Amino acid sequence: MLNNFVAPDLYPAAPEIFLLIMAGIILFVDLVAGQRRWIVGLLTVLTLVGCAAITVLTANDQTVLTFSNMFVDDTLGDLLKLFTYLAVIVVLVYSRSYLAVRNLDKGEFYLLVLLATLGMMVMISASHFLTMYLGIELLSLSLYALVAIDRDSVRATEAAMKYFVLGALASGLLLYGMSMIYGATGSLEVGVVAQSIYNGAGNKTVLVFGLVFLVAGIGFKLGVVPFHMWIPDVYHGAPTAITLFIGSAPKFAAYALAMRLLVYGLFELAQQWQSMLLIMAVLSIALGNLAAIAQTNLKRMLAYSAISHMGFMLLALVSGVVGDNRAPAFAAYTTAMYYTTAYVLMSLATFGMILLLSRNGFESEELEDFKGLNKRSPWFAAMMLVLMFSMAGIPFFIGFFAKFSVLAIVIATGHMSIAVFAVLLSLVGAFYYLRVVKYMYFDAPPANAMPIQAGMDVRLLLSANGLAVALLGIFPQSLIGICQYALARSL
């Protein structure tokens, strides 16, 4: 049996191998570093920079399969990984002070963040259903532990338990769906599954049932209706630094999961999965926007906002195939990728603002905590204004062009009523974003308002993040062009 063993080509997986080795080294350094925890944080950031360098150095225009075709290295994967590294580095910089004053700046935080990043990288490069599952579980288990990292917080522990139970249920659904696809096609390899379905192999009923379970699993990872129940409680219960992490980088992995499973593997069943995603998208936009209005806690408001934004992203995915016409597919999937990137950029800066205003013993997560921010810090009030306008889809910020792109592709594929519905719900959603602006500019600051306490690195990075949201709205073509380039070489 060993005679049939073929040694895998490790070169395409060099970033993952490097990160895994560095995680082991960081674990050892944490044991001997004592009170010098900054070394662990610095090593974690350097590890991600190293992964980015390796990803760039090993990139090429060819799609390479390795590990018995279970792992793929292509341009789309390389770009999504680079976006992921950047998002995680931003999370680490924003979170440093917040974690330090709460004594959560421990080695296990950095180790879990690295392992979660490894899970995302595996999901992004998966070309086999089992590889996808391994990546999902590595990411999910790390996130469950991160949510509960403040062991003295009842709220965080409860959120972690709820996340774990619902996550285990979603994993079960995903596994069941994969087993049905295997039963119908005889393979779990994405390329073979796609070819089998194209050739008409397999029982159509079994395939569709398997597809239903797969879509349910993807829906949970994206946090869309009706699999959204965990989002508000986890966003609210987790320490804000962890909420920032959950609400940003994993969105790239969730997009990659949807692309690898549905577009690369089950494209021949597009009519079926598009119908399901369309219902989930419409319900997510409606529920996310309507429920967010009633929230007074900013983290819960952003949680419902995330549900709505993922609904918008799904609208782009469901516009790829119209009847037998597959011509819109490239534009639709590019738009979905652009929307995901724009959302992550806005989410990073918005949660960064909450961290900026937080201090020891004060979380600054209620809407009223932003009262009079303009009088305390006009610059960061302006940054928050840009972010809220962008989230609401007001011209000319990145959020506007992201929503405009989605609506354009939805209208182009004949879903006019859906586009009108999305616009009306976006107008409703603008209310809760503009409410934050009203608090900042038209209300007096609280009597106990404290000056902003944050390092120069956080202030500079947050300013750059906010300016990127504004500038990429004025010059959106650069980011759209990068997304088009990656997908053109990978589809």
Side-chain angles (χ1 to χ4, degrees):
M1 195 167 174
L2 284 175
N3 292 334
N4 297 327
F5 176 76
V6 178
D9 181 8
L10 301 180
Y11 189 72
E16 285 80 2
I17 295 168
F18 173 73
L19 191 147
L20 190 58
I21 293 171
M22 286 304 298
I25 292 173
I26 288 171
L27 181 62
F28 175 75
V29 171
D30 180 52
L31 291 174
V32 300
Q35 296 301 315
R36 293 172 295 178
R37 290 175 182 168
W38 61 269
I39 298 176
V40 179
L42 180 63
L43 269 179
T44 306
V45 172
L46 290 176
T47 299
L48 293 167
V49 173
C51 286
I54 295 171
T55 302
V56 171
L57 291 173
T58 57
N60 61 62
D61 286 343
Q62 304 298 318
T63 297
V64 180
L65 291 163
T66 184
F67 293 102
S68 302
N69 296 341
M70 297 178 80
F71 187 95
V72 62
D73 179 21
D74 58 7
T75 309
L76 176 64
D78 289 338
L79 183 63
L80 287 174
K81 285 178 191 174
L82 289 173
F83 284 165
T84 302
Y85 306 144
L86 183 61
V88 177
I89 290 172
V90 172
V91 168
L92 291 173
V93 175
Y94 284 162
S95 308
R96 188 173 54 82
S97 301
Y98 177 92
L99 294 168
V101 298
R102 289 160 181 78
N103 199 29
L104 298 176
D105 188 22
K106 302 172 183 173
E108 54 258 43
F109 167 77
Y110 294 103
L111 190 65
L112 287 169
V113 166
L114 282 182
L115 291 178
T117 306
L118 181 61
M120 289 183 250
M121 294 162 71
V122 172
M123 285 171 68
I124 289 170
S125 278
S127 65
H128 193 282
F129 285 15
L130 285 183
T131 319
M132 289 177 197
Y133 185 73
L134 286 175
I136 290 169
E137 287 307 296
L138 184 53
L139 169 63
S140 300
L141 291 172
S142 303
L143 292 183
Y144 303 150
L146 280 170
V147 172
I149 197 165
D150 186 3
R151 289 188 286 269
D152 296 328
S153 168
V154 175
R155 196 174 75 177
T157 308
E158 184 182 331
M161 284 299 295
K162 184 175 287 187
Y163 193 14
F164 172 72
V165 171
L166 293 176
L169 180 64
S171 295
L173 292 175
L174 205 58
L175 270 183
Y176 194 59
M178 289 177 178
S179 68
M180 295 187 84
I181 297 293
Y182 178 75
T185 63
S187 177
L188 288 173
E189 190 182 325
V190 170
V192 176
V193 168
Q195 191 61 44
S196 298
I197 298 174
Y198 180 77
N199 293 334
N203 185 300
K204 192 70 177 287
T205 306
V206 176
L207 279 172
V208 172
F209 268 103
L211 181 62
V212 170
F213 287 105
L214 290 181
V215 168
I218 293 171
F220 180 86
K221 297 305 169 191
L222 287 170
V224 291
V225 179
F227 309 102
H228 65 286
M229 292 79 76
W230 62 277
I231 292 259
D233 291 337
V234 171
Y235 271 45
H236 186 204
T240 306
I242 308 304
T243 309
L244 165 65
F245 184 57
I246 295 173
S248 54
K251 303 299 181 193
F252 290 123
Y255 169 78
L257 176 69
M259 286 295 293
R260 302 288 188 201
L261 263 178
L262 300 179
V263 177
Y264 286 74
L266 303 170
F267 192 65
E268 295 302 321
L269 301 176
Q271 297 288 354
Q272 285 78 15
W273 57 257
Q274 283 189 174
S275 303
M276 287 183 268
L277 292 188
L278 182 61
I279 296 170
M280 292 160 71
V282 169
L283 291 177
S284 299
I285 293 171
L287 185 139
N289 281 310
L290 294 175
I293 293 174
Q295 307 305 317
T296 57
N297 181 281
L298 188 55
K299 285 165 69 178
R300 290 190 78 86
M301 189 195 92
L302 292 172
Y304 284 106
S305 161
I307 295 170
S308 164
H309 281 288
M310 287 301 102
F312 256 95
M313 193 277 280
L314 287 187
L315 275 188
L317 280 181
V318 302
S319 304
V321 178
V322 184
D324 293 329
N325 181 15
R326 301 180 177 190
F330 178 72
Y333 306 142
T334 302
T335 302
M337 186 175 174
Y338 174 64
Y339 196 95
T340 305
T341 309
Y343 173 73
V344 171
L345 199 58
M346 295 186 292
S347 182
L348 283 170
T350 308
F351 281 107
M353 282 297 301
I354 299 176
L355 290 174
L356 180 79
L357 299 182
S358 300
R359 56 183 182 275
N360 195 11
F362 179 69
E363 290 294 329
S364 185
E365 60 184 48
E366 297 296 328
L367 290 178
E368 294 191 349
D369 295 332
F370 281 74
K371 278 185 173 179
L373 180 61
N374 181 48
K375 293 177 181 169
R376 296 160 57 196
S377 174
W379 174 252
F380 286 110
M383 287 293 106
M384 193 64 175
L385 179 140
V386 167
L387 294 169
M388 291 297 102
F389 276 18
S390 184
M391 285 265 194
I394 295 173
F396 289 90
F397 304 106
I398 192 170
F400 165 74
F401 279 99
K403 285 190 175 177
F404 179 79
S405 304
V406 171
L407 293 173
I409 191 73
V410 168
I411 292 171
T413 51
H415 297 107
M416 178 60 79
S417 57
I418 301 293
V420 172
F421 172 82
V423 170
L424 291 177
L425 265 297
S426 292
L427 291 175
V428 172
F431 167 77
Y432 57 83
Y433 293 120
L434 296 181
R435 189 171 51 179
V436 178
V437 176
K438 178 255 179 188
Y439 277 129
M440 291 192 301
Y441 282 90
F442 297 103
D443 286 15
N448 60 348
M450 298 284 288
I452 294 174
Q453 300 172 350
M456 189 54 68
D457 54 346
V458 174
R459 290 169 182 262
L460 289 174
L461 186 59
L462 191 52
S463 301
N465 199 163
L467 289 174
V469 169
L471 292 175
L472 286 172
I474 299 171
F475 307 105
Q477 198 53 46
S478 55
L479 184 55
I480 294 174
I482 292 172
C483 296
Q484 287 174 334
Y485 174 84
L487 277 167
R489 280 155 180 76
S490 306
L491 281 176

